[in-house]
Amino acid sequence: MAVKIRLKRLGKIRAPYYRIVVADSRTKRDGRVIEEIGKYHPTEEPSFIEVNSERAQYWLSVGAQPTEQVAALLKLTGDWGIFKGEKGAVSTVKTKESKADFVADEKKKPVLKPKAEAPAPKAEEPKAEEPKAADDDAAGATGDDLAADASTEAPVEGSEDAVVAEATADADADKA
């Protein structure tokens, strides 16, 4: 069986990236493989090349033939020189510089509001309506009118006791 070390194409149209694979020479380019031994991303700057040197050496030693493109990549990584017995075989692959850590500018205010602040304005809106109703009741309503208004209004959750207490306090103030 003739074994080749070749590139398996992945990615989208005009955005290729490759896996360096060991496959039978009779299989399709992107077909079944024996083993994946590396990656190659030509569109990055500089090109990303990663080869599992130990596995590449093994497959070259048992007779796997690299294609022209893979042979060029193996020369860049230094694996071809090691296989041929050269003493000064060194990887000449350029690596991308690491990005600096992101630090948010503290002088600028954040665009997004924290989730804790968002519900607070909604809770304040019903409170703004209650004092208006209390002002109307105090303007000229009697205790009996207040009791009738309190029974017809739909109570707000958690404030039913407050409405009843306020109505009885207003009624006591009117009687005195």
Side-chain angles (χ1 to χ4, degrees):
M1 173 167 83
V3 178
K4 292 260 188 194
I5 302 175
R6 61 184 182 193
L7 297 176
K8 176 179 180 179
R9 190 184 195 279
L10 302 168
K12 297 188 274 186
I13 296 174
R14 294 180 200 84
Y17 60 94
Y18 300 92
R19 298 278 167 90
I20 301 170
V21 298
V22 178
D24 182 11
S25 62
R26 296 170 291 188
T27 60
K28 299 177 186 176
R29 176 191 69 177
D30 301 332
R32 186 167 172 239
V33 299
I34 299 170
E35 182 179 3
E36 291 183 359
I37 60 170
K39 298 177 185 177
Y40 171 52
H41 299 257
T43 55
E44 294 182 9
E45 189 59 42
S47 296
F48 173 76
I49 302 171
E50 178 184 280
V51 177
N52 184 345
S53 184
E54 181 182 311
R55 297 306 298 162
Q57 293 302 318
Y58 167 76
W59 284 107
L60 289 170
S61 68
V62 296
Q65 296 297 312
T67 60
E68 290 179 22
Q69 298 90 344
V70 174
L73 293 175
L74 292 175
K75 287 176 185 174
L76 284 174
T77 60
D79 292 320
W80 187 253
I82 294 170
F83 172 67
K84 289 295 187 179
E86 296 176 8
K87 295 180 181 178
V90 181
S91 176
T92 58
V93 176
K94 296 179 184 176
T95 57
K96 192 183 276 189
E97 294 180 17
S98 61
K99 291 184 178 180
D101 292 338
F102 176 76
V103 178
D105 189 7
E106 295 179 8
K107 294 177 184 175
K108 295 179 182 178
K109 61 182 180 179
V111 176
L112 300 174
K113 295 180 181 178
K115 291 182 179 181
E117 293 179 13
K122 292 179 182 177
E124 292 176 9
E125 291 175 8
K127 291 180 183 178
E129 294 174 8
E130 289 179 19
K132 291 178 185 176
D135 292 340
D136 293 340
D137 292 341
T142 61
D144 296 332
D145 292 337
L146 289 174
D149 288 343
S151 64
T152 57
E153 291 180 354
V156 179
E157 293 181 19
S159 63
E160 184 176 333
D161 296 333
V163 172
V164 172
E166 186 179 59
T168 54
D170 287 342
D172 291 340
D174 289 339
K175 287 181 183 177

